[in-house]
């Protein structure tokens, strides 16, 4: 696995991810996805949507408004409780997560409330990272607030959503009635979420603006355990699809679980900066629908017509962070390896992003051996033909060896070289990213060759 510096530098150099607002000195912990990054991220979201929504009969999607009625966030508990324990360095006024400082000092924070943390900080003499005393921990609400309309007063305060999940509860009735789904079924959404994180960092691991892919899966209470297991299996399949070999399934202890949850698993990954959360899977009971029924006065129960029975469904919530997916996909794909000495005149080391072929930004790079017109008259129509099916890069500058290395570094599975023999034999050389093997393929068979190899992947 590369260290973070190596990965961040590759991301910047090759146009995956840049620091946000860089010409103005950046904006702390904001990142922009560049031309290759947006392709990778979109491919991840497309694969997820296809796999978990379009390929299933029991999940439907929504795309809800990002700013919702503020009563949603009162009912969900976010206005009251979506907070982190915060301490302040009394000299520099910098703020830190109290639980993080305690964990760094080797203290188990399981089940601790604010008072326990205050006591532990006092007893153990915990100081700020700058060595100064700290204030007592306070709850800091992480929702971004703004105002709807031109007047800034208390009546029109609204929040940027801190998760996509609540829309699936709020829209439950509309979705269920229009899609006519019966239990068990799920509602999925992909979209941005905002959290005013106190300690963002580690590149795109923790930012204040990020994307989530979430499903609320509604079922009968008696069946929650079966569906929890099924979603755990589904999440494992997805992790394998991303090319991950290792991850950790951390069963959250009762003291650390939300009171309504009988089971929660954090899927963790060993990042270069330590073992931390990647995804989550939680059983939420009927907590959310109950809250919204109480607050809105609407009946959000499901009517089982066969049994003539009204049920408030229970919910399994698998949740995936998009940006953390991009990060682990890149980390798992990165390798530095020996290449055959002087492959086309290049050095014997190469960096390759062995991305799953479906996720690679470009599937094919067409590389005419020289800029001579005779070659581009073959290469350009070939690019146009292939582009109707796949993302294709075209590059005719520098040595072929350099161009292969560049494509390896951005994860392009197939390099197609057009050379002077192509004029005679109507064939091209296809080089495989992973094996570096080259094969001579007839131009008219190229599309089906790529098709077969993409499918095999
Ligand atoms: P953490 O413990 O790392 O703060 P969380 O438990 O608060 O995460 P959830 O509320 O379960 O996270 O959010 C679901 C998913 O959204 C997480 O598993 C993660 O992939 C992603 N996520 C959450 N917060 C952030 C963030 N600040 N930046 C990027 N991704 C995030």
């Amino acid at each position: 696995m590369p260290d973070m510096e190596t990965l961040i530098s590759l991301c910047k150099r090759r146009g995956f991810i840049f620091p946000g607002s860089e010409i103005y000195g950046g904006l702390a912990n904001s990142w922009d996805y560049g031309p290759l990054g947006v392709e990778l991220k979109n491919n991840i979201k497309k694969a997820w949507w296809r796999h978990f929504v379009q390929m299933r009969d029991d999940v439907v999607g929504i795309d809800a408004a990002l700013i919702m009625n503020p009563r949603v966030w009162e009912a969900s508990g976010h206005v009251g409780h979506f907070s982190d324990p915060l301490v302040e360095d009394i000299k520099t006024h910098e703020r830190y997560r109290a639980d993080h400082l305690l964990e760094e000092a080797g203290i188990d924070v399981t089940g601790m409330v604010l008072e326990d943390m205050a006591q532990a900080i006092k007893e153990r003499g915990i100081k700020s990272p700058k060595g100064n005393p700290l204030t007592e921990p306070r709850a800091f609400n992480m929702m971004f607030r703004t105002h709807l309309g031109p007047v800034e007063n208390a009546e029109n305060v609204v929040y940027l959503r801190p998760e996509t999940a609540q829309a699936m509860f709020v829209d439950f009735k509309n979705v269920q009635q229009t899609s006519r789904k019966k239990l068990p079924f799920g509602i999925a959404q992909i979209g941005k979420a905002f959290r005013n994180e106190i300690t963002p960092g580690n590149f795109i691991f923790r930012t204040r603006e990020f994307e989530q892919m979430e499903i609320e899966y509604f079922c009968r209470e008696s069946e929650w355990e079966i569906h929890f297991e099924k979603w755990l299996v589904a999440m494992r399949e997805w992790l394998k699809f991303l090319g991950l070999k290792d991850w950790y399934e951390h069963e959250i202890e009762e003291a650390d679980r939300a009171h309504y949850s009988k089971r929660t698993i954090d899927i963790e990954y060993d990042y270069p900066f330590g073992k931390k959360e990647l995804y989550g899977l939680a059983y939420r009971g009927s907590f959310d629908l109950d809250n919204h029924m109480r607050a809105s006065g609407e009946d959000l129960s499901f009517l089982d017509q066969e049994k003539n029975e009204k049920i408030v469904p229970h919910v399994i919530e698998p949740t995936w962070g998009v940006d953390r997916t991009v990060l682990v996909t890149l980390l798992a794909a990165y390798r530095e390896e020996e290449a055959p000495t002087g492959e086309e005149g290049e050095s014997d080391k190469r960096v390759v992003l062995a991305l799953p072929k479906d996720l690679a930004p470009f599937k094919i790079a067409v590389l005419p051996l020289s800029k001579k017109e005779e070659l581009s008259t073959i290469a350009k129509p070939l690019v146009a033909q292939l582009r109707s099916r796949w993302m294709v890069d075209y590059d005719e500058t520098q040595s072929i060896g350099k161009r292969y290395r560049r494509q390896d570094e951005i994860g392009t599975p197939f390099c197609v070289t057009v050379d002077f023999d192509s004029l005679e034999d109507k064939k091209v050389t296809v080089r495989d990213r992973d094996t570096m093997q080259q094969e001579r393929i007839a131009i008219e068979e190229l599309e089906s060759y790529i098709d077969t190899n993409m499918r095999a992947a």
Side-chain angles (χ1 to χ4, degrees):
M1 197 193 287
D3 56 33
M4 289 305 288
E5 218 174 292
T6 307
L7 187 75
I8 294 170
S9 139
L10 182 145
C11 283
K12 175 147 197 228
R13 200 157 28 83
R14 294 301 191 205
F16 281 93
I17 301 166
F18 313 116
S21 317
E22 197 178 15
I23 62 165
Y24 287 99
L27 174 70
N29 300 291
S30 80
W31 299 93
D32 293 345
Y33 286 80
L36 298 187
V38 69
E39 294 299 332
L40 173 61
K41 186 156 87 145
N42 282 344
N43 289 343
I44 286 172
K45 291 191 283 184
K46 258 189 283 176
W48 186 90
W49 193 260
R50 182 158 172 69
H51 185 70
F52 289 116
V53 182
Q54 296 175 333
M55 299 285 287
R56 298 177 63 123
D57 203 31
D58 62 344
V59 179
V60 291
I62 58 167
D63 183 18
L66 210 150
I67 296 178
M68 304 178 79
N69 187 314
R71 289 177 59 208
V72 170
W73 306 109
E74 282 160 23
S76 68
H78 283 80
V79 170
H81 305 292
F82 191 61
S83 55
D84 271 343
L86 193 73
V87 284
E88 193 173 307
D89 178 316
I90 62 163
K91 287 215 174 109
T92 66
H93 302 291
E94 283 165 292
R95 292 172 174 191
Y96 303 94
R97 286 267 297 264
D99 51 336
H100 288 178
L101 293 182
L102 289 166
E103 276 171 349
E104 280 161 26
I107 297 164
D108 181 8
V109 295
T110 310
M112 274 194 179
V113 295
L114 283 181
E115 291 73 32
D116 304 327
M117 290 188 198
Q119 200 178 349
I121 288 172
K122 214 191 255 167
E123 278 173 17
R124 298 285 290 266
I126 310 276
K127 296 262 169 29
S128 88
K130 301 274 165 72
N132 302 318
L134 296 164
T135 60
E136 288 218 333
R138 278 189 306 120
F140 169 74
N141 195 296
M142 292 201 289
M143 283 198 295
F144 279 98
R145 286 151 57 105
T146 185
H147 295 88
L148 206 60
V151 185
E152 292 194 10
N153 62 23
E155 275 83 68
N156 52 26
V157 166
V158 288
Y159 304 94
L160 302 190
R161 67 178 177 201
E163 59 173 39
T164 59
Q166 290 306 318
M168 279 80 105
F169 301 118
V170 172
D171 289 350
F172 174 76
K173 199 169 158 185
N174 276 334
V175 174
Q176 194 274 321
Q177 288 180 349
T178 52
S179 67
R180 297 164 55 238
K181 293 284 169 201
K182 300 201 165 39
L183 296 184
F185 79 96
I187 309 179
Q189 180 170 214
I190 300 180
K192 288 250 175 174
F194 299 81
R195 294 181 189 179
N196 204 356
E197 298 272 4
I198 298 152
T199 44
N202 291 321
F203 193 34
I204 52 172
F205 174 79
R206 190 181 299 287
T207 51
R208 294 188 171 116
E209 173 183 340
F210 56 97
E211 262 181 291
Q212 295 182 313
M213 308 185 279
E214 295 195 295
I215 296 174
E216 304 304 323
Y217 196 76
F218 302 92
C219 64
R220 285 163 197 279
E221 181 177 7
S222 58
E223 291 177 353
W224 78 264
E225 278 157 307
I226 303 168
H227 294 298
F228 192 98
E229 280 305 325
K230 283 191 180 168
W231 278 107
L232 185 55
V233 171
M235 292 183 94
R236 288 179 188 143
E237 279 167 11
W238 170 259
L239 289 159
K240 282 188 216 145
F241 162 72
L242 296 179
L244 267 62
K245 294 198 177 62
D246 300 310
W247 62 86
Y248 303 88
E249 291 169 9
H250 178 190
E251 288 275 354
I252 304 299
E253 291 171 42
E254 195 179 347
D256 263 355
R257 280 198 308 258
H259 63 89
Y260 47 80
S261 179
K262 291 208 187 84
R263 194 173 176 200
T264 299
I265 292 181
D266 280 356
I267 309 267
E268 298 179 338
Y269 186 74
D270 210 353
Y271 303 88
F273 43 86
K275 207 199 297 174
K276 293 189 190 300
E277 178 169 330
L278 170 58
Y279 302 143
L281 175 62
Y283 167 49
R284 300 184 61 88
S286 60
F287 177 74
D288 306 273
L289 287 178
D290 284 340
N291 282 342
H292 288 302
M293 284 203 285
R294 212 174 299 123
S296 69
E298 285 284 334
D299 181 4
L300 301 179
S301 57
F302 169 81
L303 177 65
D304 184 335
Q305 279 164 336
E306 278 158 33
K307 293 187 184 155
N308 200 18
E309 175 190 15
K310 258 184 164 187
I311 308 162
V312 180
H314 279 228
V315 168
I316 308 294
E317 179 188 75
T319 169
W320 294 256
V322 176
D323 311 84
R324 288 186 195 176
T325 308
V326 172
L327 178 57
V328 295
T329 304
L330 287 169
L331 287 168
Y334 184 97
R335 39 192 92 116
E336 286 173 25
E337 60 183 30
E338 301 289 319
T341 306
E343 189 197 32
E344 317 293 341
E346 268 307 295
S347 72
D348 53 2
K349 282 248 159 36
R350 69 166 188 159
V351 168
V352 56
L353 277 189
L355 293 167
K357 292 190 170 82
D358 274 336
L359 301 183
F362 289 116
K363 308 297 185 238
I364 308 160
V366 173
L367 314 170
L369 202 60
S370 89
K371 282 189 190 164
K372 293 230 166 67
E373 208 186 319
E374 304 148 81
L375 295 189
S376 56
T377 53
I378 300 186
K380 289 202 168 149
L382 185 59
V383 169
Q385 180 202 336
L386 296 171
R387 275 192 180 148
S388 68
R389 309 265 320 265
W390 298 287
M391 273 290 288
V392 181
D393 196 13
Y394 181 79
D395 187 1
E396 51 181 23
T397 56
Q398 294 186 308
S399 77
I400 194 73
K402 281 214 167 62
R403 283 183 268 165
Y404 282 161
R405 290 291 184 273
R406 191 153 57 216
Q407 295 299 332
D408 285 345
E409 222 185 4
I410 62 174
T412 310
F414 307 102
C415 285
V416 173
T417 309
V418 179
D419 57 24
F420 291 98
D421 290 341
S422 308
L423 299 170
E424 301 300 321
D425 66 4
K426 308 282 182 258
K427 289 182 174 173
V428 287
T429 302
V430 181
R431 174 187 177 272
D432 181 277
R433 175 195 71 195
D434 301 325
T435 61
M436 291 180 276
Q437 302 271 317
Q438 301 189 3
E439 247 184 285
R440 203 77 189 151
I441 305 287
I443 292 174
E444 57 177 28
E445 278 160 27
L446 183 62
E447 211 176 304
S448 76
Y449 174 90
I450 306 258
D451 223 2
T452 310
N453 280 278
M454 285 295 295
R455 264 182 229 273

